Amino acid sequence: MKVTLSALDTCETSFTPLVVIELAQNVKEETKEWLKSRIIAKKKDGGSQLLIRPLLNKYEKETLVNQNLYLIGASNVRLLLGAEALGLVKECNDSTMRAFTYGTRQSFRGFDDNNDDFLTMAECQFIVKHELENLRARDEKMIPGYPQAKLYPGKSLLRRLLTSGIVIQVFPLHDNEALKKLEDTWYTRFTVKYQPIDSIRSYFGETIALYFGFLEYFTCALIPMAIIGLPYYLFAWEDYDKYVIFASFNLVWSTVILEVWKRGCACMTYRWGTLLMKRKFEEPRPGFHGVLGTNPVTGREEPLYSSYKRQMRIYLVSLPFVCLCLYFSLYVMMIYFDMEAWVLALHEDSESEWTSLLLYVPSIIYAIVIEIMNHLYRYAAEFLTAWENHRLESAYQNHLVLKVLVFNFLNCFASLFYIAFVLRDMKLLRQSLATLLITSQIINQIVESLLPHWLQKKHGAQVKRKLQALQAGIDATLYEQVVLEKEMATYLGTFDDYLELFLQFGYVSLFSCVYPLAAVFAVLNNFTEVNSDALKMCRVFKRPFSEPSASIGVWQLAFETMSVISVVTNCALIGMSPQVNAVFPDSKVDLILIVIAIEHALLALKFILAFAIPDKPRHIQMKLARLEFESLEALKQQQLTLVAENLKEEASDREEKQAP
Amino acid sequence: MKVTLSALDTCETSFTPLVVIELAQNVKEETKEWLKSRIIAKKKDGGSQLLIRPLLNKYEKETLVNQNLYLIGASNVRLLLGAEALGLVKECNDSTMRAFTYGTRQSFRGFDDNNDDFLTMAECQFIVKHELENLRARDEKMIPGYPQAKLYPGKSLLRRLLTSGIVIQVFPLHDNEALKKLEDTWYTRFTVKYQPIDSIRSYFGETIALYFGFLEYFTCALIPMAIIGLPYYLFAWEDYDKYVIFASFNLVWSTVILEVWKRGCACMTYRWGTLLMKRKFEEPRPGFHGVLGTNPVTGREEPLYSSYKRQMRIYLVSLPFVCLCLYFSLYVMMIYFDMEAWVLALHEDSESEWTSLLLYVPSIIYAIVIEIMNHLYRYAAEFLTAWENHRLESAYQNHLVLKVLVFNFLNCFASLFYIAFVLRDMKLLRQSLATLLITSQIINQIVESLLPHWLQKKHGAQVKRKLQALQAGIDATLYEQVVLEKEMATYLGTFDDYLELFLQFGYVSLFSCVYPLAAVFAVLNNFTEVNSDALKMCRVFKRPFSEPSASIGVWQLAFETMSVISVVTNCALIGMSPQVNAVFPDSKVDLILIVIAIEHALLALKFILAFAIPDKPRHIQMKLARLEFESLEALKQQQLTLVAENLKEEASDREEKQAP
């Protein structure tokens, strides 16, 4: 008998597989049936009203493994209703942006009832994911067949299934044709050009497109810095008056680029519709738990958790823990410097080849310890932030980013600050800075993209060969794709990519007056980073779920904070330089006071600039104001209709009474 | 013939005089008729659809002066429609706050068709004022009878009438009964109690109530500072470690009180409905001019003015002018110090009674010059801000406040800064501070309230006597009231009151570690200030038009900026003190670095605190989110209805086509 894919011979020919659910191998039939029925069940019965198909039909199961893969799809109407529930914003025919509603679907640009191109595949997958995640327990006390997997009303089923190990993973499928097209315009040809941000957005979603947009913008913004920094290296300019000019320029530049990014970002996300998407009314995140109650804002039934308790957890547990970790990190750094000094003394006492090798040992140990600490801390931060039980995914992300950021900042820059302000060894500072920046960039690119890509390719070839041996001569593209993709690594979000950029920004801006060449290296790195990150997204990782977002969120704040810190460090470095000190040979006090005065003036200028440049361009402000005005007018109108109805009812009541 | 007031013998007995318009004595009859007809004309004919009555009827005119006073009123329905147009927010029966609409009037708390107590008199007057101000020229090229008073479409008639001197003033009438009641609970009995803020609000409007609320809050917030500051004076604590404690406490305190005020203010204005009032959609301010066009936000016809041009005016004219004035003010200060030194030298050279008197001359001259400069600058700032042509009253106010504030700050504090940081004479600083603070407070209270009140009383008695002589034995309460009130001075807004508080806050916080007793004087002053300001509002000035506002606006920012500056100055003062210097006898550099480090840490703490404390209490946030959610849902609903209508029309069109 010929092996055919069950997904292809269903009665509904329009079934497009969007998302794959992988169950554990030994899941009981009872559980499978229950899960399937819950997914198929109508919305009003507490289901998610999606379509589900096993990847293989019964006959195939006998000859093949992977009997535990299910494909999820949805009818076109279901997806459109899901888009409405999510509040997706689309462009109308009159080129305004409005929240999509099924009822008004004809007024949206590019909509056609016979054509399902209106929603991008990424959006469809996001809708499916959202529906699956918000499939919640009603009266079940446990997952059927697994008495230890407890449920309570309002608990997200998928979350419980994942934590109990019944569902191994849920991931969206690639669209090979579209992916190929995207790759061609993105990174396969090595020419200098802008990235196709809009195409990236429609394939990977807004969060990832914003990352690539920011990476590109940031790189372009660094080019002037690099051009100005280059002659400092070429002509070996060591005059500190030149460095002062460079540092001041750096500073105004860094403020302005961050403000301009905010405006550009608002334009972009307005076009994408995410600027208007109301994050406030998003459903609680899957990990959120609480007692089922009525949300006072939306009036919908959903789990509630007291914000007071959350605050207590944040301020009484998380905050002290983070402080403790910071202290510990500083303590480790001090041990490192002690070790360094001890080894140096040993080397000077008894100079031998053995001791000169030993000189490298403290750095290596410290580097390893830092990495370990970063990882351990990351786990702790994730655990704590989950325990804080934030209602919205965005709040969770913000708190996590803040925690990890502070720690990473200290871990990466503390030693540089120590060298700069305690040891006051500018030569060593420049050396460490250059080494740190360049090596971290090279290692990052190799470990992050090229190595996984090579491994992935090798693995892919293996899988292909195995498949061909098993089922020679049949068309099994979908089966092959699913099996290949399920083995790919999962992309864990833009966090690490932003963190890399953030640390790079730190290297470039914090000590820029000591090492103006940093910007040059950053630009060079980012040109290849775009390509390696693109490769990573397209070929190394599973396709990530699209995630709408209106800005780079907490990272904007992080970059702004970094640029404030950089003002302080740059002023201090300039004040400490021997050239500047030579100008005030008699009075160090005068020198310090002048530096402080300049620093305060620069900080004030920074805040005034940030205040004076509006966050959103005027035309976007106008459009937002128009939408708000319309929605208020609509509310008034609705109230009027309500009153009219009430009056009519009253009148008819009266008539009825008079009738007999 | 008996003299009766025409306002009382009209056919509409329900006419309540709300606002008085005073025309010039010699205004042509033609102009009067035209103005009356425009005021009475229907909204759709470009009128304001209000009621107007002369204060005196034709018979009375023969015997009395004041033939040029007109009373403006409005029917109850007109006022309610005006409230809807203005977007006044009122409490509903389900205790949510909603924008009032006439159609849904029954759902608002306290509404009754037979009773016109729903809108307070202050609100009615505000509505009438708004309607009068937005009475705009249609096709008139000039004011009838005054060819030199040019008009163009969209020009506010009232504004042109005022600038041409045809209308002398427009002011709302007091409600003597309500005023008496308010006074009794407010200030007539000298007991320590909270002010009746809600009553003040319903009589004078939100802006003035917020001022008194802020004054009260600020005074209460200063009490702990005063209590802590007192022992420093009593026990003559001169230890600078104690001052350091005081300054640090001061600092955290000032940050926290400003944040807490924001929250309290949000609660208050939510209750009053102004927090929800959409300022964005307010009509352009009366002084705003431009070419009639369609507002892109509301789609309404109104004058438009390019924001680009406005920006040019602000940055290319106003900003340089302000900088020039600041420079000039500093220059004058330097002349003062030169004069001071010159006089001192003269006095030391030839000590005589004549020269010791001469010692006071520079201070007196400087004080006078400062006053003159402040006044001249104020006129210039008002002219420039009007010339910038801001669309909204709030934007105009913000720009004016910012301009005046910067100049006043420098004028008042520059000499103190000079004494503190250039002369470094702490004793002189303390002296100047105490003198400035106390004398300015005493003079302010006398000049601002008591003196005008006394003059007003005297004048009032005169008017009364005159009236009694003229028309003995008749009831002319309203006539008397109007004539009395039209002679009262006009209250020019809360600007000067806030400025006084702002400068007081500066005296208390900027140099607090030198003079902790400042808070004590401030508290004592504010206790009487409340009463003298209340007296001023109720008895000295004409009743001001109520003005809705959601916060103290730009003053919040001003106070926050002041508290940032105070961190810097306090740290600098502590660092300069001999006691602290004595701790570091060898190394001044170390001392400065420590002080700088502490300053930066304090500033960082300040910003973190401001960031961590939410601006609005949680329950207010929830209510706002709920309203936003509802309005979005309503918009969706409306779009749906629209589509349904379109479909129906299409269907009927098709039927019609098929019919023949």
Side-chain angles (χ1 to χ4, degrees):
Chain A
M1 199 192 73
K2 214 176 165 191
V3 178
T4 50
L5 288 169
S6 65
L8 299 175
D9 56 28
T10 58
C11 52
E12 258 190 66
T13 48
S14 70
F15 179 81
T16 317
L18 291 168
V19 171
V20 177
I21 293 188
E22 185 183 6
L23 299 180
Q25 290 284 359
N26 54 353
V27 169
K28 293 183 187 146
E29 211 51 44
E30 170 194 8
T31 315
K32 283 187 188 173
E33 286 309 316
W34 168 77
L35 180 60
K36 272 196 262 180
S37 72
R38 286 303 306 265
I39 288 175
I40 296 168
K42 290 236 164 65
K43 254 300 197 192
K44 66 178 195 315
D45 302 329
S48 53
Q49 212 167 346
L50 298 170
L51 308 172
I52 184 166
R53 304 266 179 282
L55 177 61
L56 302 169
N57 67 24
K58 275 185 190 154
Y59 305 108
E60 292 162 357
K61 278 183 191 170
E62 287 158 22
T63 53
L64 285 169
V65 285
N66 297 318
Q67 300 164 8
N68 48 351
L69 291 167
Y70 288 85
L71 301 171
I72 309 275
S75 68
N76 202 16
V77 175
R78 177 72 194 87
L79 288 172
L80 292 174
L81 288 170
E84 175 175 347
L86 272 170
L88 285 193
V89 173
K90 290 273 180 184
E91 195 180 2
C92 288
N93 284 325
D94 57 349
S95 67
T96 56
M97 306 295 298
R98 278 168 211 283
F100 178 78
T101 57
Y102 185 70
T104 57
R105 61 195 182 282
Q106 297 294 354
S107 67
F108 286 87
R109 179 163 292 174
F111 187 87
D112 182 355
D113 265 327
N114 308 319
N115 192 341
D116 40 352
D117 277 357
F118 180 65
L119 296 171
T120 65
M121 190 172 170
E123 279 168 339
C124 295
Q125 289 166 338
F126 174 62
I127 292 163
V128 168
K129 175 203 171 206
H130 180 260
E131 295 295 345
L132 285 176
E133 277 178 344
N134 279 286
L135 190 58
R136 286 169 190 282
R138 307 248 287 187
D139 37 16
E140 296 103 331
K141 291 274 170 291
M142 47 154 220
I143 288 174
Y146 293 83
Q148 78 284 7
K150 293 265 181 297
L151 289 174
Y152 52 87
K155 174 72 188 172
S156 161
L157 293 183
L158 191 65
R159 185 79 179 185
R160 177 56 80 228
L161 288 166
L162 282 164
T163 50
S164 330
I166 300 167
V167 168
I168 291 172
Q169 59 176 345
V170 178
F171 63 91
L173 278 174
H174 266 299
D175 176 352
N176 280 321
E177 208 174 310
L179 183 63
K180 193 87 206 103
K181 237 185 247 169
L182 176 65
E183 277 181 303
D184 282 345
T185 53
W186 197 1
Y187 69 94
T188 47
R189 275 167 238 148
F190 274 91
T191 52
V192 176
K193 60 180 184 313
Y194 289 113
Q195 300 172 82
I197 299 287
D198 283 333
S199 312
I200 299 172
R201 178 244 162 182
S202 54
Y203 194 86
F204 286 113
E206 287 80 13
T207 305
I208 288 167
L210 272 180
Y211 165 68
F212 281 102
F214 183 68
L215 175 59
E216 181 174 286
Y217 172 81
F218 184 63
T219 309
C220 293
L222 276 176
I223 290 176
M225 299 288 304
I227 290 171
I228 296 172
L230 214 54
Y232 283 82
Y233 175 74
L234 294 177
F235 307 122
W237 284 349
E238 290 282 322
D239 318 325
Y240 269 73
D241 53 344
K242 292 212 181 66
Y243 277 156
V244 172
I245 294 171
F246 186 75
S248 319
F249 175 74
N250 187 342
L251 184 101
V252 174
W253 192 243
S254 74
T255 310
V256 171
I257 61 160
L258 288 175
E259 289 296 317
V260 172
W261 163 254
K262 249 192 263 175
R263 293 165 65 92
C265 180
C267 285
M268 218 148 58
T269 52
Y270 177 80
R271 203 175 59 225
W272 296 343
T274 46
L275 188 65
L276 295 174
M277 228 174 126
K278 296 284 157 181
R279 304 287 298 180
K280 267 183 235 165
F281 312 125
E282 65 185 322
E283 304 248 316
R285 64 185 289 263
F288 178 70
H289 56 83
V291 188
L292 256 199
T294 311
N295 182 326
V297 173
T298 59
R300 291 177 190 153
E301 200 172 69
E302 62 173 42
L304 297 180
Y305 185 76
S306 132
S307 103
Y308 172 72
K309 274 193 210 161
R310 188 180 304 125
Q311 299 277 332
M312 293 278 284
R313 288 182 172 188
I314 292 173
Y315 289 109
L316 296 185
V317 180
S318 298
L319 189 66
F321 175 79
V322 171
C323 291
L324 206 76
C325 287
L326 293 179
Y327 176 78
F328 185 71
S329 151
L330 286 179
Y331 192 77
V332 168
M333 187 196 74
M334 292 316 297
I335 293 175
Y336 156 64
F337 279 108
D338 282 351
M339 254 165 65
E340 192 98 286
W342 179 75
V343 168
L344 203 70
L346 198 80
H347 177 66
E348 275 167 8
D349 275 0
S350 56
E351 214 163 312
S352 74
E353 227 161 75
W354 188 82
T355 55
S356 73
L357 257 179
L358 202 67
L359 275 179
Y360 291 98
V361 173
S363 307
I364 295 169
I365 293 179
Y366 184 52
I368 294 170
V369 169
I370 279 190
E371 272 304 299
I372 294 173
M373 287 201 304
N374 271 348
H375 271 89
L376 285 181
Y377 179 80
R378 179 75 171 269
Y379 285 119
E382 271 167 14
F383 173 79
L384 270 180
T385 317
W387 178 70
E388 282 163 19
N389 197 17
H390 294 278
R391 195 177 153 263
L392 302 183
E393 183 63 30
S394 50
Y396 169 84
Q397 285 297 335
N398 288 351
H399 277 84
L400 180 64
V401 168
L402 207 68
K403 281 196 194 73
V404 175
L405 218 61
V406 171
F407 189 76
N408 269 270
F409 178 81
L410 208 77
N411 243 356
C412 290
F413 296 113
S415 63
L416 291 176
F417 275 103
Y418 191 79
I419 294 171
F421 298 111
V422 182
L423 303 183
R424 301 195 178 184
D425 186 342
M426 288 306 125
K427 221 168 175 177
L428 182 61
L429 178 61
R430 197 175 305 178
Q431 235 172 37
S432 320
L433 195 60
T435 322
L436 266 172
L437 179 67
I438 297 168
T439 51
S440 77
Q441 287 182 347
I442 293 173
I443 292 173
N444 253 329
Q445 297 219 355
I446 293 175
V447 172
E448 217 183 68
S449 320
L450 301 177
L451 192 66
H453 180 58
W454 180 72
L455 287 174
Q456 178 59 33
K457 248 188 167 162
K458 228 175 95 175
H459 176 76
Q462 269 179 1
V463 171
K464 241 181 194 161
R465 247 175 287 129
K466 222 194 254 174
L467 277 176
Q468 278 168 352
L470 204 71
Q471 24 155 199
I474 57 146
D475 172 42
T477 334
L478 183 63
Y479 178 72
E480 188 188 313
Q481 186 192 347
V482 172
V483 173
L484 258 174
E485 286 184 15
K486 97 181 169 72
E487 296 296 327
M488 282 173 152
T490 306
Y491 181 66
L492 293 171
T494 49
F495 188 95
D496 289 299
D497 296 315
Y498 275 116
L499 188 62
E500 207 185 315
L501 268 189
F502 175 73
L503 295 178
Q504 185 190 70
F505 184 61
Y507 289 127
V508 171
S509 65
L510 281 183
F511 304 101
S512 59
C513 65
V514 173
Y515 190 56
L517 213 57
V520 179
F521 285 107
V523 169
L524 289 179
N525 173 70
N526 290 357
F527 270 120
T528 55
E529 176 92 20
V530 169
N531 292 312
S532 66
D533 278 353
L535 177 71
K536 187 175 80 176
M537 290 310 309
C538 294
R539 291 292 159 195
V540 177
F541 288 115
K542 277 190 201 86
R543 180 176 192 170
F545 277 109
S546 144
E547 194 67 55
S549 60
S551 69
I552 59 172
V554 76
W555 291 104
Q556 180 80 38
L557 188 68
F559 275 78
E560 275 164 16
T561 311
M562 181 69 98
S563 80
V564 169
I565 298 172
S566 79
V567 176
V568 180
T569 55
N570 278 308
C571 286
L573 283 175
I574 291 171
M576 273 163 49
S577 70
Q579 287 88 336
V580 172
N581 275 275
V583 182
F584 297 87
D586 306 320
S587 167
K588 242 188 140 179
V589 172
D590 282 359
L591 164 67
I592 295 178
L593 291 179
I594 288 173
V595 170
I596 297 296
I598 292 174
E599 187 223 345
H600 280 73
L602 286 175
L603 281 179
L605 178 70
K606 214 176 152 53
F607 282 106
I608 292 172
L609 265 181
F611 187 79
I613 302 176
D615 282 2
K616 284 169 194 145
R618 212 181 143 69
H619 67 279
I620 299 287
Q621 279 175 33
M622 300 283 274
K623 282 171 182 163
L624 292 181
R626 170 144 194 91
L627 201 83
E628 212 184 329
F629 175 75
E630 274 177 7
S631 73
L632 271 159
E633 289 290 304
L635 184 64
K636 270 195 211 165
Q637 212 57 42
Q638 200 196 31
Q639 282 177 324
L640 249 161
T641 330
L642 257 169
V643 167
E645 274 166 26
N646 285 343
L647 287 175
K648 214 184 277 174
E649 264 172 46
E650 253 174 59
S652 65
D653 279 359
R654 237 175 278 156
E655 268 170 40
E656 269 171 42
K657 274 181 202 160
Q658 286 169 344
Chain B
M1 196 194 73
K2 216 176 163 190
V3 179
T4 49
L5 288 168
S6 64
L8 298 174
D9 57 27
T10 58
C11 51
E12 258 189 68
T13 47
S14 71
F15 179 81
T16 318
L18 292 168
V19 171
V20 177
I21 292 188
E22 184 183 6
L23 300 180
Q25 291 283 2
N26 54 352
V27 170
K28 293 183 185 146
E29 209 53 45
E30 169 193 10
T31 315
K32 281 187 190 172
E33 285 309 316
W34 167 77
L35 180 61
K36 272 197 260 180
S37 72
R38 285 302 306 265
I39 289 175
I40 296 167
K42 291 237 163 63
K43 253 299 196 192
K44 65 177 195 318
D45 303 328
S48 54
Q49 213 167 345
L50 298 170
L51 309 172
I52 185 166
R53 303 265 177 284
L55 177 62
L56 303 169
N57 65 24
K58 276 186 189 152
Y59 306 109
E60 291 160 359
K61 278 182 192 170
E62 289 160 20
T63 52
L64 285 169
V65 285
N66 297 316
Q67 300 165 7
N68 48 350
L69 291 167
Y70 288 86
L71 300 172
I72 308 276
S75 67
N76 202 16
V77 176
R78 179 70 194 85
L79 289 171
L80 291 173
L81 289 171
E84 174 175 349
L86 273 169
L88 285 193
V89 173
K90 289 274 179 183
E91 194 180 4
C92 287
N93 285 324
D94 57 350
S95 69
T96 56
M97 305 296 297
R98 279 169 211 283
F100 177 79
T101 57
Y102 186 69
T104 56
R105 60 193 183 281
Q106 297 294 352
S107 67
F108 287 86
R109 179 163 293 175
F111 186 87
D112 183 354
D113 266 327
N114 308 319
N115 192 342
D116 40 351
D117 276 358
F118 181 65
L119 296 171
T120 64
M121 189 172 172
E123 280 167 339
C124 294
Q125 289 167 336
F126 175 62
I127 293 164
V128 168
K129 174 202 173 206
H130 180 261
E131 295 296 345
L132 286 176
E133 277 179 344
N134 278 285
L135 190 58
R136 285 168 190 283
R138 306 248 288 187
D139 38 16
E140 295 103 331
K141 292 274 168 290
M142 48 155 219
I143 288 175
Y146 293 84
Q148 79 284 7
K150 293 264 181 297
L151 288 175
Y152 53 86
K155 175 71 188 173
S156 160
L157 294 183
L158 190 65
R159 184 80 178 184
R160 175 58 80 229
L161 288 167
L162 282 164
T163 50
S164 329
I166 301 166
V167 168
I168 292 173
Q169 59 177 345
V170 179
F171 63 93
L173 278 174
H174 266 298
D175 177 350
N176 281 320
E177 208 174 311
L179 182 63
K180 194 88 207 101
K181 238 186 246 168
L182 176 65
E183 277 181 303
D184 282 344
T185 53
W186 196 1
Y187 69 94
T188 46
R189 274 165 239 147
F190 275 91
T191 51
V192 176
K193 61 179 183 314
Y194 290 113
Q195 299 172 83
I197 300 287
D198 283 332
S199 311
I200 299 172
R201 178 243 162 185
S202 53
Y203 194 85
F204 286 113
E206 288 79 14
T207 305
I208 287 166
L210 273 180
Y211 164 68
F212 281 101
F214 183 68
L215 175 59
E216 180 175 286
Y217 172 81
F218 183 63
T219 309
C220 293
L222 276 176
I223 290 175
M225 298 289 304
I227 290 172
I228 296 172
L230 214 53
Y232 282 82
Y233 174 74
L234 293 178
F235 307 123
W237 284 348
E238 290 280 324
D239 317 325
Y240 268 74
D241 52 343
K242 291 211 181 66
Y243 277 157
V244 172
I245 294 171
F246 186 76
S248 319
F249 174 75
N250 187 341
L251 186 100
V252 174
W253 191 244
S254 75
T255 310
V256 171
I257 60 160
L258 288 175
E259 291 296 316
V260 172
W261 163 254
K262 249 192 262 176
R263 294 164 64 93
C265 179
C267 285
M268 218 147 60
T269 51
Y270 176 80
R271 201 175 62 224
W272 295 344
T274 46
L275 188 65
L276 294 174
M277 230 175 125
K278 296 285 158 182
R279 302 289 296 182
K280 268 182 232 165
F281 310 125
E282 65 182 324
E283 303 246 319
R285 63 185 288 264
F288 178 69
H289 56 85
V291 188
L292 256 199
T294 311
N295 182 326
V297 173
T298 59
R300 291 176 189 154
E301 200 172 71
E302 61 173 43
L304 296 180
Y305 185 76
S306 134
S307 103
Y308 171 73
K309 271 193 212 163
R310 188 180 304 126
Q311 298 278 331
M312 294 277 284
R313 287 181 174 190
I314 292 174
Y315 289 110
L316 296 185
V317 180
S318 297
L319 190 66
F321 175 78
V322 171
C323 291
L324 206 75
C325 287
L326 293 180
Y327 175 78
F328 184 71
S329 151
L330 286 180
Y331 191 77
V332 168
M333 186 196 75
M334 292 317 297
I335 293 176
Y336 157 64
F337 278 109
D338 282 352
M339 253 165 67
E340 191 97 286
W342 179 75
V343 168
L344 202 69
L346 198 79
H347 177 66
E348 274 166 9
D349 275 0
S350 56
E351 214 162 313
S352 74
E353 226 161 75
W354 189 83
T355 57
S356 72
L357 256 178
L358 202 67
L359 274 178
Y360 291 97
V361 172
S363 307
I364 295 169
I365 293 179
Y366 185 51
I368 294 170
V369 168
I370 278 189
E371 272 303 299
I372 294 172
M373 285 201 304
N374 271 347
H375 271 90
L376 285 181
Y377 179 81
R378 180 74 173 271
Y379 285 120
E382 271 167 14
F383 173 79
L384 270 180
T385 317
W387 178 69
E388 282 163 19
N389 196 16
H390 293 277
R391 194 176 155 264
L392 302 183
E393 184 62 31
S394 50
Y396 169 84
Q397 285 298 334
N398 288 351
H399 277 85
L400 180 63
V401 169
L402 208 67
K403 280 197 195 73
V404 176
L405 218 59
V406 170
F407 189 77
N408 270 271
F409 178 81
L410 208 77
N411 243 356
C412 289
F413 296 114
S415 64
L416 292 176
F417 276 103
Y418 191 79
I419 295 172
F421 298 111
V422 181
L423 304 182
R424 300 197 179 183
D425 186 342
M426 289 307 125
K427 220 167 173 177
L428 182 60
L429 178 62
R430 198 175 304 179
Q431 233 170 39
S432 322
L433 195 60
T435 321
L436 267 172
L437 180 67
I438 298 168
T439 51
S440 77
Q441 287 181 348
I442 293 172
I443 292 173
N444 253 328
Q445 296 218 358
I446 294 174
V447 173
E448 217 182 68
S449 321
L450 301 177
L451 193 67
H453 180 60
W454 180 73
L455 287 174
Q456 178 59 35
K457 248 188 165 162
K458 226 174 98 176
H459 176 76
Q462 269 179 0
V463 171
K464 241 180 193 163
R465 245 175 290 130
K466 219 193 258 173
L467 277 175
Q468 278 167 352
L470 204 70
Q471 23 157 204
I474 57 149
D475 172 41
T477 332
L478 182 63
Y479 179 72
E480 188 188 313
Q481 185 192 347
V482 172
V483 173
L484 257 174
E485 287 183 15
K486 97 180 170 71
E487 297 296 327
M488 283 173 152
T490 305
Y491 181 66
L492 293 171
T494 48
F495 189 95
D496 289 299
D497 296 314
Y498 275 116
L499 189 62
E500 207 185 315
L501 268 189
F502 175 74
L503 296 178
Q504 185 188 70
F505 184 61
Y507 290 126
V508 171
S509 65
L510 281 182
F511 305 100
S512 60
C513 65
V514 172
Y515 191 56
L517 212 58
V520 179
F521 285 107
V523 169
L524 289 179
N525 174 69
N526 291 356
F527 270 119
T528 54
E529 177 91 21
V530 168
N531 293 312
S532 66
D533 278 353
L535 176 72
K536 186 175 80 176
M537 290 309 309
C538 295
R539 290 292 158 197
V540 177
F541 288 115
K542 277 192 200 82
R543 180 175 192 171
F545 277 109
S546 146
E547 193 67 56
S549 62
S551 68
I552 59 171
V554 75
W555 291 103
Q556 181 81 38
L557 188 68
F559 276 78
E560 275 163 16
T561 310
M562 181 69 98
S563 80
V564 169
I565 298 172
S566 80
V567 176
V568 179
T569 53
N570 277 307
C571 286
L573 283 176
I574 290 171
M576 273 164 48
S577 70
Q579 288 88 336
V580 172
N581 275 275
V583 182
F584 297 87
D586 306 320
S587 168
K588 243 190 140 175
V589 173
D590 282 359
L591 165 68
I592 294 179
L593 291 180
I594 289 173
V595 170
I596 297 297
I598 292 174
E599 187 224 345
H600 279 73
L602 287 174
L603 281 178
L605 178 70
K606 214 176 153 54
F607 282 106
I608 291 171
L609 265 181
F611 187 79
I613 302 175
D615 282 2
K616 284 170 194 146
R618 213 181 144 68
H619 68 278
I620 300 287
Q621 279 175 31
M622 300 283 274
K623 283 170 181 163
L624 292 181
R626 169 142 196 94
L627 201 83
E628 213 184 331
F629 175 77
E630 274 176 7
S631 73
L632 272 157
E633 290 289 303
L635 185 64
K636 272 195 209 163
Q637 212 57 44
Q638 200 197 31
Q639 282 177 325
L640 250 161
T641 330
L642 256 169
V643 167
E645 274 168 26
N646 286 344
L647 287 176
K648 214 184 279 174
E649 264 173 46
E650 252 175 60
S652 66
D653 277 359
R654 237 175 279 156
E655 268 170 41
E656 269 171 41
K657 273 180 201 160
Q658 285 168 345

